[in-house]
């Protein structure tokens, strides 16, 4: 649907008030506009009254029936904001709605993964049916078909809701109640119903607890979760969240947008203003978080004087102790009905209780000033959450990892429990698992360094103690779900400084931000292949590199790479991988059909040797002669400093020695990572499985090459990454030391960073376009399109329209017809004949 049409429907524009261009886009057909109005209203679960749809569809009941059918067919969340219509008018409760959905997918024999994430979580809360229970039900359903007495899916589904968690501040309202219903009610239930009919909706906490549950289970009442303009909520680590799939409907998109934007200091009205989203929509989303147990309303939500005595021992949302055995938190299914461990309900799988949260808050509050303060944001990508989920690092770490991925945020208030889980991670593991453990431990050290670090801040004055800044962790992909203007408002409202992990995956677009200042890639181009070529161009040094545009085709591997045993291959928008030169041609041509590809020489004898040089450089680093242990004086790095601000940023530069003839022994003097980038494989978008990342033969062996064996000409810069590295604890420690010693978080340094970031942002487009000036579609071969007119939306970086070769210190266009000869005498003299 056209966005202009959607806007005018949302603003309730009748046909006669539509602008001419919008009418023209609809073929000047009022009937077409009315179809769009109806479809938009149903998709967005709009109320009939006070919306444009009331002029299009006269039958209100039929409209709501269509809305309900569409929502059910598309497995959307129950429209709780329309409960008064759905329960009182149509007599469709959340329980009966989800039973219908579950029956549909069972009859269609769909997998449990077909349920969207939030819908699956609500089904688990009300029906007690999770993944294991669904598989068990499907097995029962299939086995019954083999016998004469066949059971339908409906016969196997529960007859009433499981015991749900109800908060005392929720509001109970009467549903559709008949005289027959009243006859089967107890005296206490009749009294409660009479009170609601006579006096209106009642706070659940003012009624007898068991009566509320009983009436709810029978569908006689429904529960509203009221959210006011000044309500504030906190998001504890997620438990009971089901990671199935994202559907993309309007409400799910809204839930994820608010997840990453919300914080404990911002009330609902302020949040709606920052996001520029209708206040009622934000209230609906926040209400849903609280209903599902994914958020907790802050402040005094219910007076103890009003609380009915039966609520004193009532269970509460998010109440399991962290000492609970994770195995006991799994739901079991016996004789067709869910059995909860320890009397807890399907949603009671959070690792922290309200009391625990209060304790945590009181501990944190010892060092947090009363006045709201801006924070530091540590930006990470999904690769880090994957590492934390894999490897069974600690018992309860997974819930935090799920929160980091799904919510897209870990706020400072929850970092105490997160750090406690990271503390339990062991330092040693076997094989690939060691990589996961290393990232967890380095992440812990990074959080401890950035969070409430007095060394990173200046004294605010005599009245305000210098305690450093709180720290939030934000997932880049979640922030990118917001439009750029909204993302900028959210970041500027809450954060003084952004710090990125390094390296960020090439598969995402880095967060671009001049304010708040960003210690990390200032613009997407800095994390792209273009910046690599820029790096080689300004320094005049780098490995032989060939950038091929999408649609190119190689008949043979260029001569310049024939001498190499290993090549570093980077498919556009994906992480690099090291592959053997033998038989690489087929894989390259396959990848070139759907992506631009960068080919670089990596190692003449097996893998090349790589070393990571942290920056900013200390004065002592720049003294003395070049040696293996003193790489900072390399002439390429000196030239680089003149073109890129390395004084007010942090990160590392990777140096490569392709002519690696020597075995290395362990040493802590200089970091040598080999090929252990985060997400090191090269995905080729499905045309073949991937460029396989070859494990370095000498991986884990050190770098004890003597200085006499190192020549400055043997080493060339491979890449530059801004941010804080997590793949190496020693490199991370050095970068942290440099951040503190160079006072990168001081106001003066941040002001310089602002200027350099703005300068880099202004020149960012030139980094790619200057290499392609004058390139028009007519200049290109017929088999290659001009991607400059179609920058990929996921990265915002233009694709190459020409082929480029970096060789002998020069970057030139490469036609491929007459490959320039390679002077390999220096490389061949060391090869056996």
């Amino acid at each position: 649907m056209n966005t202009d049409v959607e806007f005018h429907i949302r603003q309730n524009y009748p046909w006669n008030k539509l602008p001419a261009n919008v009418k023209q886009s609809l073929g000047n057909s009022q009937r077409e506009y009315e179809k769009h109005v109806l479809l938009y209203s149903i998709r967005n679960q709009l109320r009939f009254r006070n919306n444009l749809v009331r002029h299009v569809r006269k039958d209100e009941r039929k409209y709501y029936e269509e809305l309900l059918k569409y929502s059910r067919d598309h497995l959307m969340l129950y429209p709780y904001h329309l409960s008064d219509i759905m329960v009182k008018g149509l007599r469709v409760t959340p329980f009966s709605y989800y039973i219908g959905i579950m029956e549909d997918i069972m009859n269609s024999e769909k997998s449990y993964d077909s349920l969207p994430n939030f819908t699956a979580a609500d089904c688990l809360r009300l029906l007690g049916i999770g993944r294991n229970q669904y598989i068990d039900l499907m097995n029962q359903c299939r086995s019954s078909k083999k016998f004469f007495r066949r059971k339908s899916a409906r016969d196997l589904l529960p007859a009433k809701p499981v015991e749900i968690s109800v908060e005392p501040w929720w509001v109970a309202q009467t549903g559709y109640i008949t005289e027959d219903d009243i006859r089967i009610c107890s005296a206490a239930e009749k009294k409660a119903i009479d009170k609601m009919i006579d006096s209106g909706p009642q706070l659940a906490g003012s009624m007898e607890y068991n009566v509320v549950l009983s009436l709810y289970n029978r569908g006689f009442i429904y529960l509203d979760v009221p959210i006011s303009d000044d309500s504030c909520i906190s998001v504890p680590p997620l438990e009971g969240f089901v990671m199935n799939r994202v559907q993309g409907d309007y409400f799910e998109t809204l839930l994820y947008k608010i997840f990453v934007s919300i914080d404990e200091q911002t009330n609902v009205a302020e949040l709606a203003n920052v996001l520029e989203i209708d206040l009622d929509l934000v209230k609906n989303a926040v209400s849903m978080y609280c209903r599902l147990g994914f958020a907790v309303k802050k402040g005094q939500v219910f007076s103890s004087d009003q609380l009915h005595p039966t609520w004193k021992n009532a269970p509460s949302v998010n109440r399991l102790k962290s000492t609970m055995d994770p195995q006991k938190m799994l739901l079991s299914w016996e004789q067709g009905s869910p059995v909860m461990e320890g009397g807890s309900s399907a949603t009671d799988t959070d690792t922290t209780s309200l009391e625990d949260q209060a304790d945590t808050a009181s501990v944190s509050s010892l060092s947090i000033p009363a006045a709201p303060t801006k924070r530091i944001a540590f930006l990470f990508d999904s690769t880090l959450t994957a590492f934390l989920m894999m490897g069974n690092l600690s018992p309860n770490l997974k819930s935090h990892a799920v929160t980091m991925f799904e919510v897209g945020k870990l706020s400072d208030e929850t970092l105490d429990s997160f750090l406690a889980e990271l503390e339990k991670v062991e330092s040693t593991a076997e094989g690939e698992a060691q990589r996961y453990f290393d990232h967890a431990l380095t992440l812990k050290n990074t959080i401890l360094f950035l969070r409430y670090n007095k060394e990173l801040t200046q004294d605010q004055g005599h009245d305000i103690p210098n305690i450093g800044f709180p720290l939030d962790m934000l997932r880049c992909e979640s922030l990118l779900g917001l439009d750029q203007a909204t993302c900028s408002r959210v970041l500027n409202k809450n954060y003084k400084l952004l710090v990125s992990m390094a390296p960020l995956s090439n598969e995402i677009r880095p967060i671009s931000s001049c304010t708040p200042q960003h210690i990390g890639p200032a613009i997407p181009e800095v994390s792209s292949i273009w910046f690599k070529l820029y790096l080689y161009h300004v320094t005049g040094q780098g490995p032989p590199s060939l950038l091929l545009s999408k649609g190119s085709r190689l008949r043979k591997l260029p001569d310049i790479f024939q001498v190499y045993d290993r090549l570093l291959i980077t498919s556009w928008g994906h992480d690099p991988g090291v592959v053997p030169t033998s038989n690489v041609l087929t894989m390259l041509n396959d990848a070139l059909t759907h992506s631009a590809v960068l080919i670089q020489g990596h190692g003449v004898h097996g893998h090349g040797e790589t070393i990571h040089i942290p920056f900013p450089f200390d004065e002592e680093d720049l003294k003395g002669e070049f040696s293996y242990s003193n790489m900072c004086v390399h002439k390429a790095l000196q030239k680089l400093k003149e073109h890129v601000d390395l004084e007010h940023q942090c990160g590392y530069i990777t140096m490569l020695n392709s002519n690696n003839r020597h075995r290395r022994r362990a040493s802590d003097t200089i970091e040598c990572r080999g090929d252990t980038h985060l997400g090191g494989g090269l995905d080729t978008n499905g045309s073949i499985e991937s460029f396989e990342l070859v494990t370095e033969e000498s991986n884990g062996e050190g770098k004890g090459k003597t200085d006499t064996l190192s020549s400055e000409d043997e080493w060339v810069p491979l890449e530059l990454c801004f941010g804080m590295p997590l793949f190496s604890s020693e490199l991370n420690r050095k970068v942290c030391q440099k951040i503190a010693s160079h006072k990168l978080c001081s106001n003066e340094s941040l002001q310089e960073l602002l200027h350099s970031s703005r300068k880099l942002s202004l020149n960012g487009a030139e980094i790619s376009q200057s290499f392609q000036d004058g390139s028009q579609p007519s200049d290109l071969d017929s088999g290659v399109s001009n991607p400059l007119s179609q920058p990929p939306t996921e990265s915002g970086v233009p694709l190459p329209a020409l082929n480029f070769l970096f060789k002998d210190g020069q970057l030139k266009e490469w036609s491929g017809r007459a490959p320039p000869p390679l002077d390999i005498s220096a490389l061949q003299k060391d090869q056996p004949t």
Side-chain angles (χ1 to χ4, degrees), residues 211-247:
V211 168
V212 173
L213 285 186
S214 175
L215 291 174
Y216 180 81
N217 286 343
R218 294 183 193 176
F220 296 167
I221 64 169
Y222 63 92
L223 295 167
D224 274 339
V225 181
I227 299 295
S228 59
D229 290 7
D230 58 353
S231 295
C232 293
I233 67 164
S234 63
V235 181
L238 290 184
E239 289 291 351
F241 193 90
V242 182
M243 297 178 69
N244 277 357
R245 70 179 180 95
V246 177
Q247 177 164 268

Side-chain angles (χ1 to χ4, degrees), residues 137-425:
L137 281 173
M138 286 303 299
N139 290 337
Q140 291 182 47
C141 194
R142 291 188 186 110
S143 63
S144 69
K145 293 179 183 178
K146 299 176 184 178
F147 302 100
F148 294 109
R149 296 185 64 185
R150 178 179 175 180
K151 286 185 178 180
S152 66
R154 185 66 188 86
D155 295 333
L156 296 169
L157 291 168
K160 63 177 184 177
V162 297
E163 181 189 334
I164 66 164
S165 294
V166 180
E167 292 294 322
W169 53 275
W170 293 5
V171 175
Q173 305 220 37
T174 53
Y176 189 97
I177 305 174
T178 65
E179 291 185 8
D180 292 337
D181 295 332
I182 294 292
R183 291 194 190 98
I184 61 173
C185 289
S186 66
E189 291 169 347
K190 288 179 183 177
K191 183 179 177 182
I193 291 172
D194 289 342
K195 187 173 182 181
M196 282 184 279
I197 292 173
D198 296 339
S199 306
Q202 299 291 311
L203 287 169
S206 65
M207 303 162 64
E208 191 177 335
Y209 176 73
N210 290 327
V211 168
V212 173
L213 285 186
S214 175
L215 291 174
Y216 180 81
N217 286 343
R218 294 183 193 176
F220 296 167
I221 64 169
Y222 63 92
L223 295 167
D224 274 339
V225 181
I227 299 295
S228 59
D229 290 7
D230 58 353
S231 295
C232 293
I233 67 164
S234 63
V235 181
L238 290 184
E239 289 291 351
F241 193 90
V242 182
M243 297 178 69
N244 277 357
R245 70 179 180 95
V246 177
Q247 177 164 268
D249 64 70
Y250 90 99
F251 197 54
E252 181 186 69
T253 304
L254 179 67
L255 287 169
Y256 278 116
K257 278 185 179 180
I258 295 176
F259 249 160
V260 74
S261 310
I262 204 158
D263 62 80
E264 297 190 18
Q265 287 74 40
T266 304
N267 65 38
V268 171
E270 291 171 345
L271 181 65
N273 187 44
V274 169
L275 295 177
E276 293 186 351
I277 295 175
D278 182 71
L279 179 59
D280 288 334
L281 281 176
V282 176
K283 286 181 178 179
N284 291 343
V286 172
S287 174
M288 181 63 74
Y289 296 146
C290 295
R291 188 184 295 274
L292 295 176
F294 298 155
V296 179
K297 196 173 180 182
K298 291 191 67 184
Q300 184 69 26
V301 292
F302 199 87
S303 170
S304 56
D305 299 335
Q306 296 176 284
L307 194 65
H308 195 278
T310 55
W311 283 79
K312 296 290 172 63
N313 299 317
S316 175
V317 177
N318 307 317
R319 67 181 179 276
L320 278 195
K321 295 289 184 181
S322 56
T323 53
M324 172 70 80
D325 181 358
Q327 292 302 317
K328 293 182 179 178
M329 293 161 68
L330 296 174
L331 299 175
S332 61
W333 188 269
E334 295 178 5
Q335 299 177 354
S337 62
V339 179
M340 304 302 153
E341 292 293 338
S344 63
S345 77
T347 49
D348 300 330
T349 50
D350 203 309
T351 54
T352 53
S353 67
L354 292 178
E355 291 83 4
D356 293 336
Q357 291 161 9
D359 294 341
T360 303
S362 63
V363 171
S364 303
S365 64
L366 295 177
S367 58
I368 297 177
T373 178
K374 288 196 173 184
R375 304 181 174 202
I376 295 175
F378 182 71
L379 306 179
F380 61 92
D381 62 28
S382 298
T383 316
L384 179 62
T385 61
F387 282 0
L388 295 178
M389 288 183 195
M390 294 187 288
N392 295 320
L393 303 181
S394 81
N396 297 319
L397 187 60
K398 189 173 181 180
S399 67
H400 291 279
V402 170
T403 307
M404 290 167 68
F405 183 83
E406 294 292 348
V407 176
K409 179 177 184 176
L410 271 189
S411 62
D412 184 80
E413 290 79 9
T414 60
L415 285 187
D416 286 328
S417 60
F418 183 51
L419 286 170
E421 291 303 322
L422 289 176
E423 199 71 45
K424 300 173 186 175
V425 176

Side-chain angles (χ1 to χ4, degrees), residues 548-567:
L548 296 172
S549 60
K550 176 183 174 183
S552 303
R553 192 161 186 83
L554 294 174
R555 286 178 294 177
K556 67 168 190 171
L557 191 67
D559 294 340
I560 195 171
F561 299 118
Q562 294 288 353
V563 72
Y564 287 92
D565 185 47
R566 294 286 191 275
L567 298 177

